[in-house]
Amino acid sequence: MYDTDGRKYLDGVSSLWVTTFGHRTPEIDAAIIAQLGKLDHSTFLGATHTPGIELAEKLLALTPGLDKVFYAGDGSSAVEAGLKIAYQYSVQSGQPRPLFVHLSEAYHGDTLGAVSVGGMKLFHATYRPLLLKTATVGSPGLRAPGQTPVERAAEVIKELEAVMAAQGDQVCAIVLEPMVQAAAGMLTYDASFLRAARELATKYGALLMVDEVATGIARTGPMWAHQHAGITPDLLTCGKGITAGYLPLSAVLATDEVYSAFLGAPEKTFFHGHTYTANPLACAAANANLTLAVERDLPGQVAVLGARLADLLKPVGDRDSVVEIRQLGAMIGVEVANVRHRTGFEVCRAARKRGVWLRPLGDTVILMPPLTLGEAEQNLMVEALAEAIDEVVR
Ligand code: PMP
């Protein structure tokens, strides 16, 4: 990226975690232009179009266990749709269940439904009186000093068991970010928690909804982060990297079982749709992006990228000025010591002076580079970060 003075930056956070291949990808540019020559926009309400059908097929081919796609506009509105689907599913299955279970520290977007299942005090506390009914369990990623990820997962599994034992028949869905709570500062957690959430949702007749808006499209390695745990969710939300950052588009993926509850009578329909749902240009961008993701073996590339970045970051993590590095694939949070107000912000500003664009989440500096970042750029990114930390955190 270049600023208005022509200074060059390496974008180490993929804009807001979206530019899969970096800024501008010739194949995606061409796909959008080709689509523009055919159809600019056409409503998806009660109608369909070729790029939308093609994208649904591509998404489902990448997602064993899920069978249907419902489009939305951005991550928040996909979550909103997923919550409504989960509740309506319970109604149409014969027992309305008005309660959602979610994790503390969660972030699922800024609309009121998404805020209801969020747990970040700064963003969410003000709206509590307006929100849906929820039960919160602790973040499996927030470990006490000396505690292992498995021990912390076991603690939160107990909490979840207790919530479900007490109120499970009221719960329509357990909603969570799989494997890593991103906006909370890349709080990674053990796969055993995800497996337990799957089992408990099934045991109590609730749905498991995984929010893969941040983690999807190979960001953590496998195409979806829930695949680390070998589970299948009932609902999956995705957005962000789905169009490689070109245009807004998101989706909810669901099982045939969930979908079938919406058939058979007009009043069973899921009445939810926005003007720009499944915009054809966005679908064309997403189709080209997913084609490249498969052709270029993004999961394989992220495995290599993640391992190399982990090696490069080791000496950074050894510094006294760094509290912890949390990483899953190409999602990385470097938590720096809180030496004064806005330390993380200052570290990012110091990195920017060195030509690397990063963003903080509190005292955690986020590295979410394009998934095809070359070795020289990886070196530049980590060197700039190390120098910035040494300059600021003293
Ligand atoms: N879910 C998760 C896990 C996210 O990280 C985000 C955005 N950071 C959202 C939902 C909301 O997406 P959007 O900003 O596109 O509405």
Side-chain angles (χ1 to χ4, degrees):
M1 295 194 302
Y2 296 82
D3 68 14
T4 48
D5 298 323
R7 265 188 57 119
K8 185 174 158 184
Y9 300 93
L10 169 70
D11 182 354
V13 279
S14 303
S15 173
L16 205 52
W17 319 347
V18 291
T19 58
T20 315
F21 301 100
H23 292 269
R24 302 297 299 277
T25 305
E27 292 87 343
I28 302 178
D29 292 3
I32 295 170
I33 291 164
Q35 181 57 43
L36 197 52
K38 294 181 197 158
L39 176 69
D40 46 6
H41 185 59
S42 169
T43 178
F44 218 64
L45 307 185
T48 188
H49 52 61
T50 311
I53 294 168
E54 190 186 329
L55 178 57
E57 286 167 352
K58 280 191 156 58
L59 282 167
L60 295 174
L62 297 174
T63 322
L66 295 180
D67 312 294
K68 291 285 186 284
V69 176
F70 186 92
Y71 289 116
D74 52 32
S76 304
S77 65
V79 168
E80 212 69 24
L83 298 176
K84 286 174 68 178
I85 288 170
Y87 176 67
Q88 191 169 336
Y89 174 78
S90 77
V91 172
Q92 285 166 191
S93 301
Q95 189 204 348
R97 292 164 168 250
L99 191 65
F100 295 92
V101 174
H102 70 97
L103 305 180
S104 76
E105 313 310 316
Y107 181 81
H108 296 286
D110 286 339
T111 51
L112 285 176
V115 167
S116 302
V117 290
M120 293 178 68
K121 205 165 169 240
L122 187 63
F123 297 167
H124 301 151
T126 309
Y127 307 105
R128 275 285 148 224
L130 303 181
L131 304 181
L132 304 173
K133 289 184 197 156
T134 60
T136 312
V137 297
S139 161
L142 269 190
R143 280 175 283 124
Q147 197 177 35
T148 67
V150 175
E151 286 166 353
R152 177 59 184 154
E155 240 171 41
V156 187
I157 291 168
K158 280 214 180 78
E159 257 188 75
L160 184 59
E161 282 169 350
V163 166
M164 295 304 278
Q167 309 176 78
D169 63 344
Q170 293 297 299
V171 176
C172 67
I174 299 174
V175 181
L176 45 78
E177 296 165 80
M179 301 302 293
V180 48
Q181 294 186 287
M186 302 301 153
L187 297 180
T188 54
Y189 64 82
D190 192 71
S192 57
F193 178 74
L194 201 48
R195 285 193 282 270
R198 171 67 280 177
E199 279 167 23
L200 288 165
T202 305
K203 179 174 171 187
Y204 288 94
L207 300 179
L208 178 68
M209 172 163 144
V210 296
D211 180 359
E212 297 253 17
V213 167
T215 49
I217 321 300
R219 173 53 62 185
T220 71
M223 210 42 90
W224 305 111
H226 72 264
Q227 293 168 337
H228 285 284
I231 59 140
T232 306
D234 303 295
L235 293 169
L236 177 154
T237 50
C238 58
K240 281 198 186 285
I242 194 176
T243 67
Y246 277 75
L247 287 155
L249 183 85
S250 64
V252 186
L253 277 50
T255 57
D256 269 333
E257 194 183 330
V258 169
Y259 175 75
S260 60
F262 293 80
L263 305 177
E267 63 276 13
K268 287 190 172 180
T269 304
F270 182 50
F271 286 107
H272 182 107
H274 300 167
T275 308
Y276 285 96
T277 292
N279 171 261
L281 300 175
C283 288
N287 280 324
N289 181 40
L290 294 186
T291 299
L292 289 178
V294 172
E295 275 175 14
R296 296 186 184 172
D297 180 24
L298 273 190
Q301 290 212 39
V302 172
V304 174
L305 172 69
R308 190 166 185 279
L309 286 175
D311 276 348
L312 288 177
L313 284 164
K314 253 191 207 112
V316 176
D318 289 341
R319 285 164 160 75
D320 287 342
S321 47
V322 172
V323 177
E324 187 177 54
I325 298 185
R326 297 179 285 273
Q327 177 180 6
L328 190 65
M331 292 180 87
I332 303 169
V334 178
E335 186 177 339
V336 295
N338 183 293
V339 289
R340 59 185 160 276
H341 183 53
R342 303 189 85 195
T343 311
F345 174 82
E346 280 186 38
V347 169
C348 292
R349 193 162 53 184
R352 200 147 70 228
K353 280 193 304 197
R354 293 166 170 85
V356 173
W357 182 271
L358 300 173
R359 271 176 79 96
L361 286 165
D363 291 324
T364 300
V365 177
I366 301 306
L367 307 182
M368 293 272 271
L371 302 180
T372 49
L373 193 73
E375 292 194 354
E377 293 158 313
Q378 295 167 30
N379 297 347
L380 170 66
M381 182 174 74
V382 175
E383 273 162 29
L385 171 68
E387 286 176 22
I389 291 172
D390 291 345
E391 180 186 310
V392 171
V393 194
R394 272 182 285 151

